[in-house]
Amino acid sequence: MPAGNVWAAQTAYPLRLENCGHTLTFSKAPERAVSIGQSTTEILYLLGLADKVAGTALWVGPVLPEFAAANAKVKRLADNDPSFESVVAERPDLVTTQFEWQVGPQGVVATPEQFEELGIPVYTSPADCEGKDNSAGGDGTRTRTFTLDLVYREIEDLARIFDREDRGAELVADLKAREAAAKAKITNLRPGTSAVFWFSSAELDIDPYVAGQSGAPGYIMSRLGVRNIIDSQEEWPTVGWETIARADPTVIVAGAMDRRRFPADDVAVKRQFLAEDPVASLMPAVREGRVVEMDAQAMNPTIRTIDGIEVLADALEKAGLAR
């Protein structure tokens, strides 16, 4: 639980809140929320709202350990995409969505308007709509660099919606303290230290999905003074291993997840590929053991991005790249 004693005012209803181009109005705190996206679900749990979550969907890995028991009592509508009907069947008075590709203008579940026609407001994570263009589909393109301020805003917004502003303020203060501590750990970083973040690959014999400049991994690297070798504003562009090898990253960060949409979702498969591929295996980062496993949730703009900062800081320190 977050530490500290931070005071915040109670929510005054009716509450009007601007979110991703929509005006949301609440006459009272919601009683039944459906949360589509693991990060948003975990934020609700951290705010002490597990009893208000009627259903969840879109999970990449296990829930935060301290919420395993609470999460087991919440109905899992789908591991990936729930149907519109399954969400509505839970009679929610709020739907939260982590990604617009789930609920958005071209959402695979529905559009916000479809829920609004039924009197159900939709709250979208600011990290997926502010400074980001999702109109072309896929993972979208960042038009402005992601920062954790967008996650902090999501915490504050949800805390206001549910009248848990004190809890939200404490959580944000705790996360900011952790971020500052991780940054302080990395002093005198070796000049030129660089990295590539490998999320997954549709097939092992084609180009991998790696992190562009402006998403969560770019933020993690910039906070610690590490250079991202991938020069792209796409969230997860595909880049060939020959190109990656030529850039010679100091560290390779490999995503670990329970999802098995692609074979390379398995971090053990990633490690085997790096050890055996005729190009990747020659990279100094591979030969010298500078491959870091990171929870894939931390690689997306989520509450766990702070974990990613801490994991990379620890890895750089352990590798003797910083003091």
Side-chain angles (χ1 to χ4, degrees):
M1 298 302 300
N5 185 19
V6 182
W7 181 87
Q10 289 186 316
T11 300
Y13 298 101
L15 171 67
R16 285 170 58 88
L17 187 142
E18 298 299 320
N19 170 247
C20 296
H22 294 261
T23 301
L24 311 184
T25 303
F26 299 90
S27 60
K28 62 183 182 65
E31 293 293 331
R32 293 180 63 82
V34 169
S35 182
I36 305 173
Q38 182 170 347
S39 178
T40 300
T41 303
E42 291 180 336
I43 289 173
L44 293 173
Y45 291 170
L46 284 160
L47 291 173
L49 295 166
D51 63 327
K52 305 297 184 184
V53 182
T56 69
L58 193 61
W59 287 81
V60 176
V63 71
L64 290 168
E66 61 266 38
F67 299 114
N71 186 62
K73 299 176 183 177
V74 176
K75 188 173 183 179
R76 179 76 62 93
L77 304 183
D79 290 337
N80 291 301
D81 309 332
S83 68
F84 175 68
E85 293 76 14
S86 71
V87 176
V88 172
E90 295 305 315
R91 298 177 288 105
D93 47 8
L94 172 65
V95 169
T96 63
T97 184
Q98 185 175 334
F99 300 109
E100 284 195 324
W101 60 266
Q102 290 280 325
V103 182
Q106 303 173 60
V108 298
V109 177
T111 65
E113 290 76 13
Q114 285 176 278
F115 284 112
E116 289 165 4
E117 287 174 0
L118 300 175
I120 305 170
V122 174
Y123 180 87
T124 304
S125 298
D128 199 58
C129 68
E130 295 200 17
K132 188 180 178 190
D133 180 6
N134 294 312
S135 61
D139 293 308
T141 300
R142 292 279 169 189
T143 58
R144 190 165 66 244
T145 301
F146 163 80
T147 74
L148 272 174
D149 288 341
L150 293 173
V151 175
Y152 299 151
R153 186 189 308 173
E154 179 176 1
I155 294 168
E156 291 164 349
D157 283 348
L158 291 172
R160 286 180 65 203
I161 290 169
F162 284 92
D163 194 18
R164 298 291 177 93
E165 293 195 67
D166 284 359
R167 192 77 164 256
E170 289 179 352
L171 177 56
V172 169
D174 179 69
L175 294 171
K176 287 182 176 180
R178 288 174 57 191
E179 185 177 1
K183 171 66 176 175
K185 179 181 289 188
I186 302 303
T187 58
N188 299 318
L189 184 67
R190 192 176 78 183
T193 298
S194 62
V196 63
F197 277 58
W198 178 17
F199 191 86
S200 191
S201 301
E203 298 289 345
L204 285 169
D205 58 352
I206 63 176
D207 297 344
Y209 295 110
V210 292
Q213 290 280 332
S214 298
Y219 179 75
I220 291 171
M221 287 181 269
S222 68
R223 286 293 288 149
L224 299 178
V226 176
R227 180 176 61 85
N228 184 359
I229 67 162
I230 304 300
D231 185 16
S232 172
Q233 297 308 311
E234 290 184 48
E235 193 87 346
W236 293 104
T238 54
V239 179
W241 282 109
E242 294 82 0
T243 300
I244 295 171
R246 282 196 298 271
D248 189 20
T250 313
V251 174
I252 297 171
V253 183
M257 68 194 87
D258 281 1
R259 187 192 79 172
R260 291 295 181 266
R261 183 175 297 174
F262 309 126
D265 287 350
D266 187 342
V267 73
V269 172
K270 287 186 177 77
R271 283 191 173 276
Q272 183 177 356
F273 173 87
L274 291 172
E276 297 177 356
D277 181 76
V279 174
S281 63
L282 298 178
M283 298 167 63
V286 176
R287 296 201 317 269
E288 297 169 18
R290 294 193 299 272
V291 178
V292 180
E293 293 185 17
M294 182 180 291
D295 180 356
Q297 274 288 85
M299 294 182 168
N300 280 321
T302 66
I303 189 115
R304 297 204 193 191
T305 298
I306 189 67
D307 297 335
I309 296 174
E310 293 171 332
V311 166
L312 184 56
D314 289 344
L316 293 171
E317 184 180 49
K318 183 177 179 181
L321 298 169
R323 298 196 302 274

PDB file of all heavy atoms in Angstrom, residues 156-179:
ATOM      1  N   GLU A 156      -5.405   9.869 -10.516  1.00  0.00           N
ATOM      2  CA  GLU A 156      -6.127  10.996  -9.906  1.00  0.00           C
ATOM      3  C   GLU A 156      -7.558  11.083 -10.421  1.00  0.00           C
ATOM      4  O   GLU A 156      -8.491  11.357  -9.659  1.00  0.00           O
ATOM      5  CB  GLU A 156      -5.359  12.290 -10.172  1.00  0.00           C
ATOM      6  CG  GLU A 156      -4.038  12.368  -9.417  1.00  0.00           C
ATOM      7  CD  GLU A 156      -3.088  13.428  -9.943  1.00  0.00           C
ATOM      8  OE1 GLU A 156      -3.353  13.987 -11.038  1.00  0.00           O
ATOM      9  OE2 GLU A 156      -2.074  13.695  -9.278  1.00  0.00           O
ATOM     10  N   ASP A 157      -7.751  10.849 -11.733  1.00  0.00           N
ATOM     11  CA  ASP A 157      -9.104  10.887 -12.299  1.00  0.00           C
ATOM     12  C   ASP A 157      -9.997   9.811 -11.688  1.00  0.00           C
ATOM     13  O   ASP A 157     -11.130  10.077 -11.279  1.00  0.00           O
ATOM     14  CB  ASP A 157      -9.049  10.689 -13.819  1.00  0.00           C
ATOM     15  CG  ASP A 157      -8.598  11.927 -14.582  1.00  0.00           C
ATOM     16  OD1 ASP A 157      -8.533  13.019 -13.977  1.00  0.00           O
ATOM     17  OD2 ASP A 157      -8.312  11.790 -15.792  1.00  0.00           O
ATOM     18  N   LEU A 158      -9.486   8.576 -11.662  1.00  0.00           N
ATOM     19  CA  LEU A 158     -10.294   7.480 -11.115  1.00  0.00           C
ATOM     20  C   LEU A 158     -10.558   7.685  -9.625  1.00  0.00           C
ATOM     21  O   LEU A 158     -11.641   7.366  -9.125  1.00  0.00           O
ATOM     22  CB  LEU A 158      -9.602   6.142 -11.366  1.00  0.00           C
ATOM     23  CG  LEU A 158      -9.557   5.705 -12.835  1.00  0.00           C
ATOM     24  CD1 LEU A 158      -8.678   4.460 -13.002  1.00  0.00           C
ATOM     25  CD2 LEU A 158     -10.957   5.428 -13.382  1.00  0.00           C
ATOM     26  N   ALA A 159      -9.579   8.242  -8.920  1.00  0.00           N
ATOM     27  CA  ALA A 159      -9.785   8.544  -7.505  1.00  0.00           C
ATOM     28  C   ALA A 159     -10.895   9.575  -7.327  1.00  0.00           C
ATOM     29  O   ALA A 159     -11.724   9.473  -6.413  1.00  0.00           O
ATOM     30  CB  ALA A 159      -8.486   9.039  -6.877  1.00  0.00           C
ATOM     31  N   ARG A 160     -10.951  10.573  -8.209  1.00  0.00           N
ATOM     32  CA  ARG A 160     -12.030  11.575  -8.140  1.00  0.00           C
ATOM     33  C   ARG A 160     -13.380  10.945  -8.469  1.00  0.00           C
ATOM     34  O   ARG A 160     -14.374  11.192  -7.788  1.00  0.00           O
ATOM     35  CB  ARG A 160     -11.755  12.715  -9.120  1.00  0.00           C
ATOM     36  CG  ARG A 160     -10.656  13.669  -8.717  1.00  0.00           C
ATOM     37  CD  ARG A 160     -10.492  14.754  -9.773  1.00  0.00           C
ATOM     38  NE  ARG A 160     -11.676  15.588  -9.873  1.00  0.00           N
ATOM     39  CZ  ARG A 160     -11.999  16.305 -10.947  1.00  0.00           C
ATOM     40  NH1 ARG A 160     -11.235  16.245 -12.036  1.00  0.00           N
ATOM     41  NH2 ARG A 160     -13.069  17.063 -10.948  1.00  0.00           N
ATOM     42  N   ILE A 161     -13.420  10.142  -9.510  1.00  0.00           N
ATOM     43  CA  ILE A 161     -14.674   9.522  -9.927  1.00  0.00           C
ATOM     44  C   ILE A 161     -15.285   8.705  -8.794  1.00  0.00           C
ATOM     45  O   ILE A 161     -16.495   8.728  -8.560  1.00  0.00           O
ATOM     46  CB  ILE A 161     -14.445   8.645 -11.174  1.00  0.00           C
ATOM     47  CG1 ILE A 161     -14.148   9.532 -12.398  1.00  0.00           C
ATOM     48  CG2 ILE A 161     -15.654   7.747 -11.448  1.00  0.00           C
ATOM     49  CD1 ILE A 161     -13.659   8.761 -13.616  1.00  0.00           C
ATOM     50  N   PHE A 162     -14.424   7.980  -8.062  1.00  0.00           N
ATOM     51  CA  PHE A 162     -14.900   7.086  -7.000  1.00  0.00           C
ATOM     52  C   PHE A 162     -14.817   7.704  -5.603  1.00  0.00           C
ATOM     53  O   PHE A 162     -15.028   7.000  -4.617  1.00  0.00           O
ATOM     54  CB  PHE A 162     -14.097   5.787  -7.025  1.00  0.00           C
ATOM     55  CG  PHE A 162     -14.468   4.845  -8.137  1.00  0.00           C
ATOM     56  CD1 PHE A 162     -13.812   4.883  -9.355  1.00  0.00           C
ATOM     57  CD2 PHE A 162     -15.485   3.917  -7.964  1.00  0.00           C
ATOM     58  CE1 PHE A 162     -14.141   4.007 -10.385  1.00  0.00           C
ATOM     59  CE2 PHE A 162     -15.828   3.043  -8.984  1.00  0.00           C
ATOM     60  CZ  PHE A 162     -15.158   3.085 -10.207  1.00  0.00           C
ATOM     61  N   ASP A 163     -14.500   8.998  -5.519  1.00  0.00           N
ATOM     62  CA  ASP A 163     -14.382   9.676  -4.224  1.00  0.00           C
ATOM     63  C   ASP A 163     -13.345   9.001  -3.332  1.00  0.00           C
ATOM     64  O   ASP A 163     -13.575   8.733  -2.154  1.00  0.00           O
ATOM     65  CB  ASP A 163     -15.740   9.739  -3.511  1.00  0.00           C
ATOM     66  CG  ASP A 163     -15.737  10.717  -2.337  1.00  0.00           C
ATOM     67  OD1 ASP A 163     -14.826  11.584  -2.286  1.00  0.00           O
ATOM     68  OD2 ASP A 163     -16.622  10.619  -1.467  1.00  0.00           O
ATOM     69  N   ARG A 164     -12.176   8.734  -3.920  1.00  0.00           N
ATOM     70  CA  ARG A 164     -11.048   8.163  -3.174  1.00  0.00           C
ATOM     71  C   ARG A 164      -9.809   9.049  -3.376  1.00  0.00           C
ATOM     72  O   ARG A 164      -8.708   8.560  -3.568  1.00  0.00           O
ATOM     73  CB  ARG A 164     -10.747   6.738  -3.646  1.00  0.00           C
ATOM     74  CG  ARG A 164     -11.892   5.753  -3.440  1.00  0.00           C
ATOM     75  CD  ARG A 164     -12.129   5.456  -1.969  1.00  0.00           C
ATOM     76  NE  ARG A 164     -13.267   4.576  -1.773  1.00  0.00           N
ATOM     77  CZ  ARG A 164     -13.195   3.258  -1.686  1.00  0.00           C
ATOM     78  NH1 ARG A 164     -12.017   2.670  -1.780  1.00  0.00           N
ATOM     79  NH2 ARG A 164     -14.272   2.529  -1.517  1.00  0.00           N
ATOM     80  N   GLU A 165     -10.002  10.365  -3.299  1.00  0.00           N
ATOM     81  CA  GLU A 165      -8.919  11.281  -3.661  1.00  0.00           C
ATOM     82  C   GLU A 165      -7.732  11.195  -2.711  1.00  0.00           C
ATOM     83  O   GLU A 165      -6.586  11.343  -3.133  1.00  0.00           O
ATOM     84  CB  GLU A 165      -9.452  12.706  -3.765  1.00  0.00           C
ATOM     85  CG  GLU A 165     -10.418  12.883  -4.929  1.00  0.00           C
ATOM     86  CD  GLU A 165     -10.674  14.327  -5.276  1.00  0.00           C
ATOM     87  OE1 GLU A 165      -9.751  15.004  -5.735  1.00  0.00           O
ATOM     88  OE2 GLU A 165     -11.827  14.768  -5.072  1.00  0.00           O
ATOM     89  N   ASP A 166      -7.972  10.961  -1.418  1.00  0.00           N
ATOM     90  CA  ASP A 166      -6.853  10.789  -0.485  1.00  0.00           C
ATOM     91  C   ASP A 166      -6.008   9.590  -0.895  1.00  0.00           C
ATOM     92  O   ASP A 166      -4.769   9.655  -0.922  1.00  0.00           O
ATOM     93  CB  ASP A 166      -7.367  10.587   0.947  1.00  0.00           C
ATOM     94  CG  ASP A 166      -7.841  11.880   1.583  1.00  0.00           C
ATOM     95  OD1 ASP A 166      -7.741  12.928   0.916  1.00  0.00           O
ATOM     96  OD2 ASP A 166      -8.295  11.835   2.734  1.00  0.00           O
ATOM     97  N   ARG A 167      -6.673   8.485  -1.204  1.00  0.00           N
ATOM     98  CA  ARG A 167      -5.972   7.258  -1.598  1.00  0.00           C
ATOM     99  C   ARG A 167      -5.186   7.511  -2.881  1.00  0.00           C
ATOM    100  O   ARG A 167      -4.043   7.062  -3.021  1.00  0.00           O
ATOM    101  CB  ARG A 167      -7.005   6.154  -1.805  1.00  0.00           C
ATOM    102  CG  ARG A 167      -6.452   4.748  -1.935  1.00  0.00           C
ATOM    103  CD  ARG A 167      -6.037   4.176  -0.583  1.00  0.00           C
ATOM    104  NE  ARG A 167      -5.865   2.742  -0.657  1.00  0.00           N
ATOM    105  CZ  ARG A 167      -6.739   1.867  -0.181  1.00  0.00           C
ATOM    106  NH1 ARG A 167      -7.855   2.278   0.396  1.00  0.00           N
ATOM    107  NH2 ARG A 167      -6.504   0.577  -0.263  1.00  0.00           N
ATOM    108  N   GLY A 168      -5.777   8.222  -3.839  1.00  0.00           N
ATOM    109  CA  GLY A 168      -5.093   8.521  -5.085  1.00  0.00           C
ATOM    110  C   GLY A 168      -3.862   9.382  -4.871  1.00  0.00           C
ATOM    111  O   GLY A 168      -2.805   9.139  -5.470  1.00  0.00           O
ATOM    112  N   ALA A 169      -3.969  10.394  -4.025  1.00  0.00           N
ATOM    113  CA  ALA A 169      -2.839  11.284  -3.756  1.00  0.00           C
ATOM    114  C   ALA A 169      -1.688  10.520  -3.102  1.00  0.00           C
ATOM    115  O   ALA A 169      -0.507  10.744  -3.422  1.00  0.00           O
ATOM    116  CB  ALA A 169      -3.285  12.439  -2.864  1.00  0.00           C
ATOM    117  N   GLU A 170      -2.022   9.616  -2.184  1.00  0.00           N
ATOM    118  CA  GLU A 170      -0.982   8.810  -1.536  1.00  0.00           C
ATOM    119  C   GLU A 170      -0.283   7.894  -2.534  1.00  0.00           C
ATOM    120  O   GLU A 170       0.941   7.743  -2.509  1.00  0.00           O
ATOM    121  CB  GLU A 170      -1.597   7.966  -0.417  1.00  0.00           C
ATOM    122  CG  GLU A 170      -2.033   8.757   0.797  1.00  0.00           C
ATOM    123  CD  GLU A 170      -2.649   7.877   1.874  1.00  0.00           C
ATOM    124  OE1 GLU A 170      -2.858   6.672   1.596  1.00  0.00           O
ATOM    125  OE2 GLU A 170      -2.925   8.381   2.961  1.00  0.00           O
ATOM    126  N   LEU A 171      -1.057   7.278  -3.422  1.00  0.00           N
ATOM    127  CA  LEU A 171      -0.483   6.370  -4.408  1.00  0.00           C
ATOM    128  C   LEU A 171       0.450   7.121  -5.355  1.00  0.00           C
ATOM    129  O   LEU A 171       1.556   6.648  -5.645  1.00  0.00           O
ATOM    130  CB  LEU A 171      -1.602   5.681  -5.189  1.00  0.00           C
ATOM    131  CG  LEU A 171      -1.192   4.729  -6.318  1.00  0.00           C
ATOM    132  CD1 LEU A 171      -0.252   3.641  -5.816  1.00  0.00           C
ATOM    133  CD2 LEU A 171      -2.439   4.105  -6.951  1.00  0.00           C
ATOM    134  N   VAL A 172       0.028   8.277  -5.845  1.00  0.00           N
ATOM    135  CA  VAL A 172       0.874   9.065  -6.748  1.00  0.00           C
ATOM    136  C   VAL A 172       2.157   9.489  -6.035  1.00  0.00           C
ATOM    137  O   VAL A 172       3.260   9.407  -6.602  1.00  0.00           O
ATOM    138  CB  VAL A 172       0.112  10.286  -7.282  1.00  0.00           C
ATOM    139  CG1 VAL A 172       1.063  11.249  -8.003  1.00  0.00           C
ATOM    140  CG2 VAL A 172      -0.993   9.849  -8.240  1.00  0.00           C
ATOM    141  N   ALA A 173       2.054   9.928  -4.792  1.00  0.00           N
ATOM    142  CA  ALA A 173       3.236  10.340  -4.038  1.00  0.00           C
ATOM    143  C   ALA A 173       4.219   9.184  -3.878  1.00  0.00           C
ATOM    144  O   ALA A 173       5.443   9.357  -4.008  1.00  0.00           O
ATOM    145  CB  ALA A 173       2.830  10.892  -2.676  1.00  0.00           C
ATOM    146  N   ASP A 174       3.692   7.989  -3.606  1.00  0.00           N
ATOM    147  CA  ASP A 174       4.541   6.806  -3.441  1.00  0.00           C
ATOM    148  C   ASP A 174       5.265   6.458  -4.743  1.00  0.00           C
ATOM    149  O   ASP A 174       6.472   6.179  -4.749  1.00  0.00           O
ATOM    150  CB  ASP A 174       3.693   5.632  -2.981  1.00  0.00           C
ATOM    151  CG  ASP A 174       4.497   4.358  -2.803  1.00  0.00           C
ATOM    152  OD1 ASP A 174       5.313   4.306  -1.874  1.00  0.00           O
ATOM    153  OD2 ASP A 174       4.309   3.424  -3.608  1.00  0.00           O
ATOM    154  N   LEU A 175       4.541   6.495  -5.864  1.00  0.00           N
ATOM    155  CA  LEU A 175       5.141   6.162  -7.156  1.00  0.00           C
ATOM    156  C   LEU A 175       6.205   7.184  -7.553  1.00  0.00           C
ATOM    157  O   LEU A 175       7.262   6.822  -8.083  1.00  0.00           O
ATOM    158  CB  LEU A 175       4.060   6.070  -8.226  1.00  0.00           C
ATOM    159  CG  LEU A 175       3.062   4.921  -8.067  1.00  0.00           C
ATOM    160  CD1 LEU A 175       1.909   5.074  -9.052  1.00  0.00           C
ATOM    161  CD2 LEU A 175       3.747   3.570  -8.243  1.00  0.00           C
ATOM    162  N   LYS A 176       5.946   8.446  -7.297  1.00  0.00           N
ATOM    163  CA  LYS A 176       6.939   9.481  -7.618  1.00  0.00           C
ATOM    164  C   LYS A 176       8.200   9.295  -6.778  1.00  0.00           C
ATOM    165  O   LYS A 176       9.320   9.515  -7.275  1.00  0.00           O
ATOM    166  CB  LYS A 176       6.340  10.865  -7.400  1.00  0.00           C
ATOM    167  CG  LYS A 176       5.335  11.273  -8.458  1.00  0.00           C
ATOM    168  CD  LYS A 176       4.807  12.693  -8.217  1.00  0.00           C
ATOM    169  CE  LYS A 176       3.881  13.124  -9.344  1.00  0.00           C
ATOM    170  NZ  LYS A 176       3.368  14.505  -9.128  1.00  0.00           N
ATOM    171  N   ALA A 177       8.046   8.891  -5.521  1.00  0.00           N
ATOM    172  CA  ALA A 177       9.212   8.649  -4.668  1.00  0.00           C
ATOM    173  C   ALA A 177      10.029   7.474  -5.198  1.00  0.00           C
ATOM    174  O   ALA A 177      11.272   7.515  -5.202  1.00  0.00           O
ATOM    175  CB  ALA A 177       8.757   8.391  -3.232  1.00  0.00           C
ATOM    176  N   ARG A 178       9.348   6.419  -5.663  1.00  0.00           N
ATOM    177  CA  ARG A 178      10.063   5.261  -6.227  1.00  0.00           C
ATOM    178  C   ARG A 178      10.805   5.650  -7.499  1.00  0.00           C
ATOM    179  O   ARG A 178      11.947   5.203  -7.727  1.00  0.00           O
ATOM    180  CB  ARG A 178       9.073   4.144  -6.513  1.00  0.00           C
ATOM    181  CG  ARG A 178       8.536   3.445  -5.277  1.00  0.00           C
ATOM    182  CD  ARG A 178       7.443   2.452  -5.634  1.00  0.00           C
ATOM    183  NE  ARG A 178       7.905   1.456  -6.591  1.00  0.00           N
ATOM    184  CZ  ARG A 178       7.097   0.611  -7.233  1.00  0.00           C
ATOM    185  NH1 ARG A 178       5.790   0.648  -7.029  1.00  0.00           N
ATOM    186  NH2 ARG A 178       7.588  -0.278  -8.073  1.00  0.00           N
ATOM    187  N   GLU A 179      10.174   6.455  -8.324  1.00  0.00           N
ATOM    188  CA  GLU A 179      10.814   6.894  -9.567  1.00  0.00           C
ATOM    189  C   GLU A 179      12.080   7.697  -9.259  1.00  0.00           C
ATOM    190  O   GLU A 179      13.135   7.487  -9.875  1.00  0.00           O
ATOM    191  CB  GLU A 179       9.828   7.738 -10.374  1.00  0.00           C
ATOM    192  CG  GLU A 179      10.330   8.156 -11.740  1.00  0.00           C
ATOM    193  CD  GLU A 179       9.291   8.931 -12.538  1.00  0.00           C
ATOM    194  OE1 GLU A 179       8.179   9.171 -12.015  1.00  0.00           O
ATOM    195  OE2 GLU A 179       9.596   9.296 -13.681  1.00  0.00           O
TER     196      GLU A 179
END
